Amino acid sequence: MTSLNTYKGMPVPSWFNPRSAKAFHHMDMEPSDVIFSSGVKFGTTWMSKILHLLLHDNHNKGLSTYPDALPLDQDDNHKGFTKGRSEEENKTTFQTLLKQEHPRIFTTHLRGKDQLPKQLLGNCDEEG
């Protein structure tokens, strides 16, 4: 039987990076940040592309906007989701994502006050 990866009780894919998910939860938000959180297979990729077209007039140029799928930084050996992506796209890290043009767009399947950025939902008392 295949073992299922989980993060804070939620099933996650094999490319999920808990270090980047934790950094996403604790990141400093900008007033213009856009956080798009949806269920798996709810059209998340399409919606992310639509957001980039509306807010930046581009197709996001291959930049992954899933913070929980990226290596935390260049020293993080997490492989993330690499299938069908160019070498340049695979160099994207969570730190790169923080430097994207404003409004920054973050796409995720994470949810709730213990997974989404703390500043988004107010103060949270949990550790993580």
Side-chain angles (χ1 to χ4, degrees), residues 36-81:
F36 176 63
S37 173
S38 73
V40 176
K41 297 296 182 190
F42 281 27
T44 310
T45 300
W46 283 106
M47 193 63 198
S48 177
K49 295 208 177 286
I50 291 168
L51 285 171
H52 276 276
L53 284 168
L54 289 171
L55 299 174
H56 297 298
D57 196 27
N58 67 37
H59 290 281
N60 81 339
K61 302 175 185 167
L63 176 68
S64 173
T65 59
Y66 288 86
D68 47 298
L70 297 172
L72 184 58
D73 53 36
Q74 291 298 327
D75 296 327
D76 187 352
N77 63 1
H78 178 77
K79 298 298 182 206
F81 184 74

Side-chain angles (χ1 to χ4, degrees), residues 63-125:
L63 176 68
S64 173
T65 59
Y66 288 86
D68 47 298
L70 297 172
L72 184 58
D73 53 36
Q74 291 298 327
D75 296 327
D76 187 352
N77 63 1
H78 178 77
K79 298 298 182 206
F81 184 74
T82 58
K83 183 179 178 182
R85 294 170 48 111
S86 71
E87 186 176 326
E88 188 63 32
E89 290 170 328
N90 286 328
K91 290 180 182 177
T92 303
T93 67
F94 180 75
Q95 297 305 317
T96 307
L97 194 59
L98 293 176
K99 296 174 186 171
Q100 66 181 301
E101 66 181 304
H102 289 236
R104 302 183 304 181
I105 300 171
F106 301 90
T107 304
T108 185
H109 297 303
L110 298 175
R111 60 184 185 261
K113 69 180 184 179
D114 64 334
Q115 296 176 5
L116 293 173
K118 284 182 160 187
Q119 290 180 337
L120 180 67
L121 300 173
N123 293 330
C124 297
D125 295 327

